[in-house]
Amino acid sequence: MDHHEEFIGVRGIRIKVLRGGSGAPLLYLHGAGGAGVWLPFFDLLAKDFTVLAPVHPGFAGSDGYDEIDDIHDLVFHYINLLDTLGLERPIVIGSSLGGWLAAEMAVHHRERVSKLVLIDACGLKVEGKPIADFFAPSPPELRRLVFHDAESELARAAVPDTPSAEQLDAILRARQAAARIGWNPFMYDPKLRQRLFRIAAPTLIVWGEDDRLVPIEHAKAYQAGIANSQFRAIEKSGHVPVLENSTQTARVIMQFLKS
Amino acid sequence: MQFFMFHLMPWPDVPEDFDDLSKYPSAWVTLSNRYYDPVKGHQLYNTYLEQLEYAEQLGFDGACVNEHHQNTYGTMPAPDIIAAMLTRRTTRMKIAIVGNALPLRDHPLRVAEEIAMLDVVSGGRIISGFVRGIGNEYFSMGINPTYSQERFTEAHDLIIRAWTEDGPFQFEGKHYRLRYVNVWPRPMQKPHPPIWIPGFGSRETVEWCAHPSRKYAYMATYMPEEMIKFFFDLYRESASKHGYEASPYQMGHLIPIYVAETDKLAQEEAKSGILWLYHKGLRLKWEYVFPPGYVSVDSMKRTTANAAALDWAKMDFNYLNDKGYCIVGSPETVRQRLSAYVRELGFGLLLALLQFGDLPHYRVVKNMELFATQVMPKLRDEFRTMQQKWLKAA
């Protein structure tokens, strides 16, 4: 599928955006692992939608690390980004950290989100089921935490034991940008759950059935808090179904978006 | 030259199978505190305190304590408490806290208050070190490591102002905001207690210390000789760029030292403790030492490239001793090596770690006595000119 990279200025922050496909605009918000690469998953969505996948401030490719202190700064940034791109009411899909961000956007600016998809989203505190620490593990430990099949080619490419110089740069930037937002409380907003009722958009909650990083109880908590929501589990997938099972993930999302 | 006895107060009693790295990947953060026995701890703390108190009788210029959390390497999470005990048990020597980990505190004024109290009670004998705390401690204490540097700088500025400006005044920082800064008591030493900064390989820290508004003493820790030389040279260059000559008393060297009757005996007696320190106590996981954002991305890349120089687990005893990670030998050997270091590196403050790992009390005492009677006086004589010139200037 045709896609390209562009750089835009959002209130003075230089931001990298991947763009591809055609149709109604769909904003994809990436997770803490990083971004900036066009995924096979995007190809499946780009058949019917214009996929816009920006890189969050501070992650490799975008500036603005020092502009973002918490998730709410990121929400403001993305509302500014929607204004910059002239997107009135896109579909918003977020994975992991990006899922948390998508939920916050839909809470604070419900008029700006037409449909919402949360994929293995952080953001909530669920008693007894904390989000796992993904900063402390070594690369092999991290693969076991993130992936259903920790030693697959895909997992080893995503979390390499000995990263190249370019990969190391991206990893270090992703780690610090994510930690700044989510070190403590660890990747959640204590007030988010009581505010979920404000979400007006029809919502799909998608979860890797083998997610060891954000336990599936978090999916249930999102479902309980969002009135118009449905839940779909993804087989043979850990925390990142858009990578590990992109076909099924794209299929359930397309069904939801077309319904 | 000035001589300080440094202590870590380690918990040496690790499990017997501690060499199993898969079972014990780190001596920090996750090593369970079920291995800490308070009854034995009672004995250990008091023995360690006696060792530091004995340093005054032996003629040391001071004793050093420091802060580390949740590990077996050093059991002084609250160094001001240890300093307080020493304050009342000593009368002459300096007590150096190297240092309080500023970003780990939610309230920097507590540091300003505690140090001021200690300085007043001790009659102006406190040296106040400031550190960021090592990366591990951001996991242990829940503090966001991406703000480590700015919290350090801001807390430092607040503490210095609290010590030197008449209160009350208002402080509006990014991390600390106080309408009424008005610290009672004020420190006895003017303008404030001397400040020492232990460093661990950051160029920015050296340049910050050398700035004429600060002139803080920089302490090199656990580095090989060539690395120390690099940082001390950098200090001197920074000073001369600012138009002044750095004093040897702006540079300190922390190093484990063991003195016995002969080289052979010294090596036999020190080996287990030195290896405990570098292979067990300092067993660290890269991800813990460098949490996200603890240093800049560029520094992190440089550090990753230099990782071998600090990968102590791969170094055997002879390598550690030869490369200057420790100094072990007869009084004459130790004197010669230290003399050569001082001439080569140009530092004036020696922080001698005379207890390390599982080194038992009777050997610590012997080590301290041999060092204090057969090494220290000769080095004092040798570098007396340095002493007179710079202490007069200070």
Side-chain angles (χ1 to χ4, degrees), chain A residues 104-122:
Chain A
E104 296 272 4
M105 284 175 73
V107 162
H108 291 279
H109 298 272
R110 53 178 161 184
E111 73 289 353
R112 302 301 296 269
V113 178
S114 61
K115 286 190 171 181
L116 178 66
V117 180
L118 306 178
I119 306 169
D120 297 74
C122 318

Side-chain angles (χ1 to χ4, degrees), chain B residues 7-232:
Chain B
H7 218 304
L8 292 166
M9 303 200 170
W11 175 260
D13 206 8
V14 294
E16 277 184 19
D17 58 344
F18 198 68
D19 287 335
D20 183 348
L21 291 174
S22 62
K23 199 167 167 191
Y24 308 101
S26 168
W28 300 65
V29 187
T30 50
L31 179 67
S32 174
N33 64 357
R34 72 172 172 270
Y35 300 116
Y36 186 86
D37 169 8
V39 175
K40 184 168 181 193
H42 167 75
Q43 202 178 34
L44 265 182
Y45 268 132
N46 285 287
T47 302
Y48 290 158
L49 282 162
E50 277 168 25
Q51 291 167 3
L52 286 173
E53 289 156 17
Y54 189 41
E56 178 170 83
Q57 288 182 46
L58 289 173
F60 283 81
D61 296 284
C64 301
V65 299
N66 77 346
E67 171 175 344
H68 287 299
H69 297 269
Q70 301 186 16
N71 70 90
T72 189
Y73 163 86
T75 55
M76 282 186 280
D80 293 350
I81 289 181
I82 300 289
M85 299 175 199
L86 293 174
T87 301
R88 289 282 299 160
R89 290 284 205 139
T90 57
T91 57
R92 180 192 55 79
M93 73 173 176
K94 302 276 187 195
I95 297 161
I97 301 145
V98 283
N100 273 288
L102 301 183
L104 301 183
R105 296 268 193 132
D106 270 333
H107 214 313
L109 286 191
R110 284 302 301 268
V111 177
E113 290 169 342
E114 287 165 18
I115 296 293
M117 287 170 70
L118 290 168
D119 202 45
V120 171
V121 172
S122 69
R125 291 189 286 128
I126 298 299
I127 291 164
S128 174
F130 295 142
V131 296
R132 290 208 280 140
I134 59 177
N136 312 354
E137 285 153 341
Y138 289 78
F139 286 93
S140 295
M141 302 300 280
I143 300 293
N144 191 323
T146 71
Y147 295 122
S148 167
Q149 186 61 60
E150 52 185 69
R151 278 170 72 96
F152 178 85
T153 308
E154 198 175 302
H156 162 271
D157 294 349
L158 171 57
I159 292 167
I160 298 297
R161 287 189 59 192
W163 281 343
T164 54
E165 289 180 26
D166 288 343
F169 63 85
Q170 187 165 349
F171 185 90
E172 289 295 319
K174 177 176 171 186
H175 297 278
Y176 310 105
R177 290 164 296 276
L178 294 142
R179 183 167 295 277
Y180 307 103
V181 180
N182 192 21
V183 165
W184 292 63
R186 300 159 65 205
M188 180 175 268
Q189 297 177 83
K190 297 295 168 220
H192 53 72
I195 291 173
W196 289 4
I197 308 287
F200 202 66
S202 156
R203 296 177 199 186
E204 293 81 358
T205 304
V206 176
E207 287 162 354
W208 184 81
C209 288
H211 191 273
S213 67
R214 287 178 284 270
K215 296 189 179 177
Y216 295 162
Y218 174 81
M219 305 293 135
T221 54
Y222 299 138
M223 295 178 200
E225 188 185 342
E226 60 271 18
M227 215 161 153
I228 298 172
K229 182 157 173 26
F230 174 85
F231 288 114
F232 287 176

Side-chain angles (χ1 to χ4, degrees), chain B residues 257-264 266-267 321-322 326-341 371 374-375 378-379:
Chain B
I257 294 174
Y258 191 79
V259 192
E261 292 74 0
T262 65
D263 285 348
K264 187 164 174 290
Q267 288 173 17
N321 195 24
D322 292 345
C326 60
I327 296 179
V328 175
S330 68
E332 184 54 19
T333 299
V334 171
R335 184 197 65 77
Q336 281 179 15
R337 284 186 65 185
L338 283 171
S339 167
Y341 276 141
F371 183 82
Q374 299 192 36
V375 179
K378 290 180 180 166
L379 288 170

Side-chain angles (χ1 to χ4, degrees), chain A residues 83-156:
Chain A
D83 291 350
T84 303
L85 292 176
L87 301 175
E88 188 50 42
R89 215 164 154 258
I91 295 158
V92 179
I93 300 182
S95 170
S96 188
L97 167 67
W100 174 16
L101 171 60
E104 296 272 4
M105 284 175 73
V107 162
H108 291 279
H109 298 272
R110 53 178 161 184
E111 73 289 353
R112 302 301 296 269
V113 178
S114 61
K115 286 190 171 181
L116 178 66
V117 180
L118 306 178
I119 306 169
D120 297 74
C122 318
L124 297 181
K125 177 186 176 187
V126 176
E127 207 57 58
K129 297 286 174 186
I131 297 167
D133 182 0
F134 55 85
F135 293 116
S138 64
E141 292 165 342
L142 187 60
R143 284 197 297 271
R144 287 196 287 279
L145 188 62
V146 170
F147 294 98
H148 169 73
D149 182 357
E151 295 311 312
S152 67
E153 204 176 314
L154 182 142
R156 285 184 161 277

